[in-house]
Amino acid sequence: MNVAPLGGTAVQDHVALAEIELCGELIIAASAACGERLSADRIDEVLQVSDGYEGGVGRDISRP
């Protein structure tokens, strides 16, 4: 069995840390919602994502 040394190096998983931060933001937003469900739009706002529609213009779904 391999065990990390006591003075070992710290490994940072930046993707995991980002996911944990986003989960925290969702928890904060849900707590502030006073028992109501978060809408999909509110979740997108908290996570700072877009559905691809900017200014009423749809994205071209024929291209990846």
Side-chain angles (χ1 to χ4, degrees):
M1 175 168 75
N2 292 334
V3 178
L6 292 176
T9 60
V11 177
Q12 291 188 4
D13 184 341
H14 297 286
V15 173
L17 293 173
E19 289 178 358
I20 291 167
E21 185 176 341
L22 291 174
C23 286
E25 295 296 328
L26 282 175
I27 291 168
I28 292 168
S31 296
C34 298
E36 295 182 19
R37 297 181 92 172
L38 294 178
S39 68
D41 289 336
R42 179 64 181 131
I43 292 170
D44 287 347
E45 180 182 334
V46 170
L47 298 179
Q48 299 177 355
V49 296
S50 168
D51 63 0
Y53 294 95
E54 305 262 344
V57 178
R59 64 182 160 168
D60 182 1
I61 60 172
S62 65
R63 299 173 64 194

